[in-house]
Amino acid sequence: MKRAGFSTRWLPILLLLPQLSIILIFFYWPAAHAVKSSFYLQDPFGFGETFVGMKNYTSLLNSSAYLRSAQFTVVFTLLVTILSLSLALLLAVKADKVIKGAKAYRTLLMWVYAVAPPVAGVIGLVLFDQTWGPLKDFFGLFGWDFRLGVNYFDTAFAMVVVSVWKQLPVNFIFFLSGLQSIPKSVREAALIDNRSASGRFWDVTFPLLAPTAFFLLIINITYALFDTFGIIDTVVKGEPSNNPMTLVYRVYVDGFRGNDLGGSSAQSVVLMVLVLALTVFQFRMVERRIHYT
Amino acid sequence: MAQVTLNALRKVYPNGFEAVKPASFTIEKGEFVVLVGPSGCGKSTMLRMIAGLEDITEGDLHIGDRVVNAVDPADRDIAMVFQNYALYPHMTVRKNIGYGLKNRKIAKDVINQKVEDAANLLNLNDYLDRKPSQLSGGQRQRVAMGRAIVRDPSLFLFDEPLSNLDAKLRNQMRIEIKALQRRLGVTSVYVTHDQVEAMTMADRIIVMNGGEIEQIGTPSEVYHSPASTFVASFMGAPPMNLLDAMRENGAVMVGGQKVAEFDGSGLVTLGVRPEDILPDTNGAFEIDVTLIEELGAHRILHAVWAGQSIMISVAKDVAAETGPLRVVIKPDTLSYFDPQTGRRL
Ligand SMILES: Nc1ncnc2c1ncn2[C@@H]1O[C@H](COP(=O)(O)OP(=O)(O)O)[C@@H](O)[C@H]1O
Ligand SMILES: [Mg+2]
């Protein structure tokens, strides 16, 4: 077989250049800069910087606010990931069974996908609003005095709900297409082999969805860690005070609100390491994953 | 082992298409029945109604002494082999075969023993710990068979189980399936579009066309006394010759020559199998051979008789060349059909 190739050496380089320069300018350069800043203490008014070694990192570990954010981030990520995955799976399994009106049902579920995160945050705010939010009134019926932006737990609750709601459609679409790619005859064979619907789901359907589920797990962890920034920003409104925050949001708050660029850079470096670990984990799993034919 | 009775079973799909017109027949205990017909004639629909994978629109279905219209597939005591095998891709061969037993609350060591026995019977012992993706088509087919026989059901259902195999393997598996069914004595319904499979495997053949049953009979009945021109041309390769003929004065005439005695008058469709026309230098009829197909064991001569094309099949030791040829027709082998309805007269 003849390999297609370039006749000159510089043409492929030229073609790659735009992409490479974007990556260099917008990813590697800032990342390198962050690593460097994390070892310095910046003057809040921009009058120079002093090398402080690991001090930014050690003070992170000694900051109870930072540790509290880290703890919240873990809980938040777990909740958002588990809830959005399991609810989406439930909806997809139900949608897969629907025959009449299936299209309308699916379109409705997918609409949310088109909503931008800050807009999702605003919609969440409206729902939970102190004076006229329908959900606040609803919770009031059960004697829950819901205080968004004031009560730590209530704010965290709203963040989780809005973040899950925003992520559902993506998960739903992937799960639904995963379900629909399971051969009909395999399901029918299971129908003859096992009379219990839940047994069939856990023995046959779910294992065949596992590759999809694993892919979504990574996507959802990444989402909960990083892409919820817009939602959190809208809910917290830049007033961190007593509010719960994820680590990513804290980078922004400490760096740009608190003008602690060194500490904020150290936080970014911690997050970079986290992303690296997650990526390595994903590659390892993908390599090991069984490919069905 | 069970008797299966269909009583005016009918299927209309939700889009209003009537895939199976009311069908009634009984399959005896231990019988091997083949449903045959061209693609789209409703064979799978019929089989899937028996399996419970498709709702029954009208009529009753009895398996054994139960009416099973409203019984779940898992509770009908049936096993089914699918065209694409439908193995569970994430389970080993062992688990694939044992899965149906595991859900029927059977002790683990009993399951293991049954799986081993089935694997023995199908020469799958060396593959029990493989996944389906690591097997050849023929081996997958055997696993699908294993999954069916291990359950020891009262009814086997097969939906074109050999269609995805190459010709050689298909012939081999055809014989194996038939032998296995004989040995186990399980009542079986086998769907195929391949008339050779139908002829060779069936105790009784059900020929379907356009959602309707054209004929039910033994392979020999269906072959020698087709109930309609459709059956005549569907069964047999090459198919039965169908000729326009005239009935006059108690005789059937083709091209003005008397072929046989027959009552009535007017047009009639005359059916004659290609092997029932024999070259004979003293033959009464002259045909014009235009093409010779060499098949090794025999030859197919394509010819024109009184302006109509016919095929005749001759043994390999019969010399043949194109041009005029005198032939005789074996007496008592002719079929007559109504030219309007196509039904046998
Ligand atoms: N779910 C369905 N809805 C509507 N029509 C169907 C459906 N399934 C099959 N059919 C139609 O019913 C007819 C019989 O199908 P089938 O039983 O699969 O044929 P066969 O197995 O003989 O090839 C075909 O014309 C097919 O198009
Ligand atoms: Mg079919």
Side-chain angles (χ1 to χ4, degrees), chain B residues 13 15 17 19 38-45:
Chain B
Y13 277 113
N15 66 1
F17 182 75
S39 162
C41 70
K43 311 177 293 287
S44 294
T45 305

Side-chain angles (χ1 to χ4, degrees), chain B residues 43-51 80 157-159 189 191:
Chain B
K43 311 177 293 287
S44 294
T45 305
M46 180 97 89
L47 193 76
R48 293 163 54 78
M49 282 197 285
I50 300 176
M80 182 154 167
L157 302 172
F158 301 89
D159 194 352
V189 184
V191 161

Side-chain angles (χ1 to χ4, degrees), chain B residues 128-181:
Chain B
L128 279 175
D129 295 311
R130 290 208 195 167
K131 296 264 174 69
S133 60
Q134 299 163 303
L135 300 177
S136 70
Q139 290 163 342
R140 287 181 209 183
Q141 173 58 48
R142 279 166 207 272
V143 178
M145 284 296 299
R147 198 164 63 175
I149 64 175
V150 80
R151 293 245 325 274
D152 196 13
S154 55
L155 178 63
F156 280 148
L157 302 172
F158 301 89
D159 194 352
E160 312 229 7
L162 305 181
S163 299
N164 289 359
L165 299 178
D166 60 56
K168 188 159 174 248
L169 209 50
R170 192 154 58 214
N171 287 342
Q172 183 191 334
M173 285 306 292
R174 192 170 78 199
I175 294 160
E176 280 187 36
I177 291 180
K178 175 74 184 169
L180 209 56
Q181 190 269 346

